[in-house]
Amino acid sequence: MKRFVKGLVLSSALLLSAVTPFMSVEAAPIREIGYKVQVNDALVDFPDSQPYLDDAHVLQAPVRFVSDKLGYEAHWENAGNELKVTLTNKKNTISFTTGDSSAVLNGKPITLQSVPKIVNGRVYFSVRALADVLGIQMQWDSSNQIAIYGADGKYHAPAWYATKFEKVIEGKATAYTAAPEENGGFASVDYFGNSLQVGTIAVDPNVIPLGSKVYVEGYNYDGLPAGGMYATASDTGGAVKGNKIDIFVPDPKAKAQQFGIQQVKIYVLE
């Protein structure tokens, strides 16, 4: 990779400090802000149906994914046009039917605060009602829109923090190193004179402005944080055009070439 080095004009200490790359850390993928459920320290994964707030402002979630995370086995049977669901673990057995506020907990009838329902083929149950029925403490984090079940009897911090971003780019990524031939014959520094490090990426400034903070996911390379990483757009390159980025890797050139060309998703953060 060759860079167009114009950094002398922009070499003031203030500007350099503004674009110094993040210290890259392993992080959960960025997600658009939505309602989430957490059990102890782990988020519940909803692969095809998401929690939502109903007309009564009650948070509803697909019960199967939540009950699995809580260690319950789920059994299903048809009940006319509705579904009867039984959740069982070593301590509790609860049976309920969609469309009905009546349920049975450990052989005793109870009345549910919110009626379970079928939405897009999934059985939804009030997150708060499920916690109350199963005797689990629940806390609500309004800033991050997460319902947190303390199934172990403890309080837990959110496992996900809301991150706003200006745009999402579906693009291609390659990798480069500190080798002089990949840096236009210059030392191992970025466009602004900062040392190259994990968290440095080269961009097309017409697509991602220099100095932008981004989150990159979708790559597969053992020299970078698994799952995704935060980075700073602080470098450019003659071959970096359009929706393409070049990711610095602290490895020999021979290993970096194994990166190849990969499809990635780039979140440009506010």
Side-chain angles (χ1 to χ4, degrees):
M1 185 193 79
K2 294 183 179 179
R3 287 192 307 281
F4 304 109
V5 178
K6 304 175 183 178
L8 291 178
V9 180
L10 303 171
S11 60
S12 72
L14 178 61
L15 184 56
L16 288 179
S17 64
V19 298
T20 299
F22 289 149
M23 178 61 70
S24 179
V25 296
E26 189 167 338
I30 293 286
R31 298 182 179 93
E32 292 190 36
I33 297 175
Y35 299 106
K36 296 169 180 61
V37 180
Q38 177 179 329
V39 174
N40 297 334
D41 288 322
L43 287 175
V44 178
D45 184 29
F46 298 101
D48 54 18
S49 301
Q50 302 303 309
Y52 73 95
L53 207 63
D54 66 15
D55 294 338
H57 301 285
V58 175
L59 182 61
Q60 305 281 349
V63 69
R64 177 60 179 269
F65 305 121
V66 178
S67 62
D68 283 352
K69 201 74 172 178
L70 289 169
Y72 280 79
E73 291 186 5
H75 302 277
W76 315 78
E77 57 184 287
N78 292 322
N81 294 326
E82 302 293 338
L83 281 174
K84 180 180 179 181
V85 182
T86 301
L87 305 178
T88 305
N89 71 359
K90 294 180 180 180
K91 181 180 178 181
N92 296 312
T93 296
I94 176 174
S95 296
F96 60 89
T97 302
T98 56
D100 190 347
S101 62
S102 300
V104 177
L105 174 64
N106 298 329
K108 297 180 180 180
I110 61 172
T111 300
L112 301 175
Q113 299 173 359
S114 179
V115 177
K117 61 194 75 177
I118 301 175
V119 180
N120 297 327
R122 288 287 184 189
V123 175
Y124 276 71
F125 203 109
S126 161
V127 172
R128 170 66 69 180
L130 185 62
D132 290 344
V133 168
L134 299 180
I136 299 172
Q137 67 179 20
M138 192 198 86
Q139 56 193 105
W140 172 248
D141 186 307
S142 58
S143 298
N144 298 297
Q145 297 183 332
I146 300 178
I148 304 174
Y149 283 118
D152 57 3
K154 301 176 182 178
Y155 287 93
H156 296 268
W160 181 93
Y161 292 90
T163 303
K164 296 182 180 180
F165 43 89
E166 294 179 356
K167 61 181 177 179
V168 183
I169 299 171
E170 298 282 353
K172 303 288 186 181
T174 52
Y176 72 107
T177 72
E181 61 270 24
E182 293 191 84
N183 294 278
F186 294 90
S188 56
V189 295
D190 64 15
Y191 183 91
F192 298 101
N194 299 305
S195 297
L196 297 174
Q197 59 181 294
V198 174
T200 299
I201 63 170
V203 300
D204 181 343
N206 293 317
V207 178
I208 302 176
L210 282 168
S212 297
K213 309 301 182 182
V214 305
Y215 182 86
V216 184
E217 66 179 14
Y219 60 79
N220 183 15
Y221 185 77
D222 65 7
L224 295 173
M229 70 173 185
Y230 291 96
T232 300
S234 61
D235 213 352
T236 61
V240 183
K241 300 296 182 184
N243 291 358
K244 180 182 178 182
I245 61 172
D246 211 5
I247 302 174
F248 172 75
V249 294
D251 292 316
K253 183 177 178 181
K255 180 180 177 181
Q257 289 175 338
Q258 298 173 14
F259 188 99
I261 301 175
Q262 300 188 29
Q263 184 72 31
V264 294
K265 185 176 287 188
I266 308 154
Y267 299 83
V268 180
L269 307 180
E270 290 185 355

